[in-house]
Amino acid sequence: MKPTRTDLVAGPADALAAMVTNYRCGHCTGVVEALATDEATGAMHAYVRHDDGCPVLTGVVSPIPDTFRAATKEPRHDRTDR
């Protein structure tokens, strides 16, 4: 089965760029897979691919702590840190 996705909305472009670069789900191997702009609202959405069974997908665990850490962390150019 393909991994399921959730989406996150961020405000300022620099916060979204940091979040996209640094986001790692603390409960699975989830990373940002794509960006899109909602044409109705203009809000940017970062689509996160989570593993099947990830508690973030079922709503048991909030993605907010991982999102906040990613948005406030210095951007990295490698994607190997977890």
Side-chain angles (χ1 to χ4, degrees):
M1 178 178 239
K2 290 175 94 173
T4 310
R5 294 181 179 91
T6 60
D7 65 300
L8 307 169
V9 180
D14 57 341
L16 182 60
M19 194 276 296
V20 167
T21 301
N22 298 313
Y23 184 87
R24 304 294 181 276
C25 180
H27 305 282
C28 74
T29 61
V31 294
V32 174
E33 188 170 81
L35 288 174
T37 302
D38 183 312
E39 292 188 24
T41 65
M44 293 292 293
H45 292 263
Y47 291 91
V48 178
R49 177 188 38 81
H50 290 275
D51 298 337
D52 291 336
C54 178
V56 171
L57 292 176
T58 60
V60 173
V61 176
S62 172
I64 293 172
D66 291 329
T67 303
F68 181 76
R69 273 190 295 278
T72 59
K73 184 177 174 184
E74 286 294 315
R76 293 186 56 104
H77 297 287
D78 67 290
R79 302 201 42 113
T80 58
D81 67 319
R82 274 210 42 94

